[in-house]
Amino acid sequence: MGNARRALHDQRMTVWEMAEHLAQQQHGVISRRQCLELGMLDTQVTRAGRERGPWQRVLPGIYAVTTGQLTQTSLVAAAVLFGGPTSQVSGLTALAWYGCTYLPRATGVDLLIDWRLRRQPAGYVRFHRTRTPPPAFVRADVPLSPVDRAALLAARHLVALSDVRAVLSEVVQRRLTTVDRLAHALAHEPVAGSALSRRVLGELGAGCLSVPEMELRDLVLTRPALASGVVWNHPLEVRGRRLVADACWPAVRVVVEVDSIAHHGLGDGPERTSRRRAALVAAGWRVLSVSPRRIREEPLRVLAEIEALVLA
């Protein structure tokens, strides 16, 4: 901070100009401590952040140098300033910064902090203390927890199985991490609140790569005769080509494909999916396509259709 302060002073700025210049480098936010280090008086900072002042108070000791509505980036940057220099953005917010889009709605910003810090959460910021802070990944000057830690922290605080499935399957689909790395990270996470994560990692380990595939697996497992011969996302050699089927019964040459727009948008796309299915049919495989909606709303009918092919 000392070097930054000297550089700003060398530009012959007033303390107000220096504060606003520094804030612009931090997505529009600044801390009281930084203001004081620049030479502002404590009373000046207080007046600036009062109602009708030129700034707005975002969190205790953190100000935005504008009175307009803050962007999500500014809110995240303010949270990091509030958490301190070693804090990391984690949970759903971090996953969004990594590029995930099929996420439950985040209701605040989760920060991973060293367990020795005694900061109290405030506003939209939640603290999660850890004895093993991982190296942070910095994107747009914002420190992020590694994907594994962020995904598992998010999952630990979700109550719906479908949400946990969405979070963990997307980070694997996007190749941001692997099932093995998630399992390794989970082994070092608190046991409390990990039941859903462990279940979903088992589903991912079985080969399911999307929420609809996991829901289809739930159905198949209710029928022992179907469950005994199925493999998930299994590579098949079809006329010299390597094709992957969502659910496959190799012994009877049956494939069940889930028509999930979201999953195929992340994966190989609708056109390639159509070509793969045509190639399977041409090679003598029987292919059944089911939508996620039917799996959820017509489970017994979907089961009957699968049984008609597999058990015929």
Side-chain angles (χ1 to χ4, degrees):
M1 184 63 217
N3 291 336
R5 178 180 174 180
R6 283 193 296 273
L8 291 172
H9 273 298
D10 290 344
Q11 298 178 42
R12 300 184 183 279
M13 294 181 177
T14 68
V15 290
W16 287 97
E17 291 171 333
M18 288 190 290
E20 296 198 352
H21 181 80
L22 178 59
Q24 295 309 319
Q25 297 177 329
Q26 300 176 154
H27 304 290
V29 296
I30 193 169
S31 69
R32 175 182 290 271
R33 180 175 179 177
Q34 289 175 325
C35 290
L36 298 178
E37 289 177 345
L38 288 172
M40 292 184 71
L41 300 177
D42 189 72
T43 53
Q44 289 179 302
V45 182
T46 300
R47 285 198 301 269
R50 283 178 178 168
E51 188 176 356
R52 298 180 184 175
W55 296 353
Q56 62 175 305
R57 180 180 178 274
V58 184
L59 292 162
I62 309 296
Y63 303 90
V65 295
T66 175
T67 56
Q69 185 173 359
L70 298 183
T71 65
Q72 179 66 15
T73 300
S74 294
L75 291 171
V76 171
V80 172
L81 279 179
F82 179 59
T86 62
S87 63
Q88 302 174 11
V89 178
S90 194
L92 294 174
T93 304
L95 295 180
W97 280 62
Y98 278 116
C100 296
T101 56
Y102 299 99
L103 299 172
R105 183 177 177 273
T107 57
V109 174
D110 294 294
L111 290 183
L112 199 64
I113 64 173
D114 190 283
W115 69 278
R116 292 167 294 187
L117 298 179
R118 289 294 176 259
R119 288 183 173 83
Q120 295 299 315
Y124 59 89
V125 177
R126 294 182 293 266
F127 289 144
H128 304 273
R129 291 177 170 80
T130 178
R131 292 179 180 270
T132 56
F137 291 82
V138 179
R139 294 197 174 186
D141 297 323
V142 172
L144 306 176
S145 292
V147 171
D148 306 325
R149 295 287 291 269
L152 291 173
L153 188 149
R156 196 165 71 240
H157 294 87
L158 294 169
V159 297
L161 174 60
S162 59
D163 287 340
V164 177
R165 283 171 163 171
V167 167
L168 297 185
S169 63
E170 183 170 1
V171 295
V172 173
Q173 284 181 43
R174 291 189 181 276
R175 300 182 181 178
L176 297 173
T177 188
T178 65
V179 177
D180 288 343
R181 291 208 300 266
L182 282 169
H184 178 77
L186 184 60
H188 297 85
E189 287 280 308
V191 174
S194 66
L196 292 181
S197 295
R198 295 179 189 281
R199 172 174 174 171
V200 174
L201 284 185
E203 295 168 337
L204 289 167
C208 297
L209 296 179
S210 69
V211 176
E213 287 176 11
M214 294 173 185
E215 293 171 341
L216 178 61
R217 181 172 180 266
D218 288 342
L219 284 183
V220 169
L221 290 179
T222 65
R223 299 290 194 271
L226 294 179
S228 62
V230 67
V231 289
W232 300 89
N233 284 286
H234 183 67
L236 303 173
E237 291 295 330
V238 178
R239 297 183 176 180
R241 296 174 58 190
R242 184 178 181 274
L243 304 178
V244 178
D246 293 342
C248 175
W249 285 261
V252 291
R253 299 178 69 80
V254 169
V255 164
V256 176
E257 294 273 80
V258 181
D259 288 322
S260 173
I261 296 176
H263 172 52
H264 290 149
L266 286 175
D268 49 16
E271 290 186 6
R272 188 174 175 184
T273 297
S274 177
R275 294 192 197 100
R276 183 179 70 246
R277 292 175 184 172
L280 286 167
V281 171
W285 288 78
R286 289 172 292 169
V287 180
L288 172 66
S289 298
V290 295
S291 68
R293 183 192 63 79
R294 290 195 64 217
I295 294 171
R296 293 165 190 156
E297 298 180 7
E298 304 173 0
L300 296 181
R301 184 171 296 179
V302 169
L303 270 176
E305 292 170 2
I306 297 173
E307 287 176 325
L309 291 176
V310 175
L311 306 180

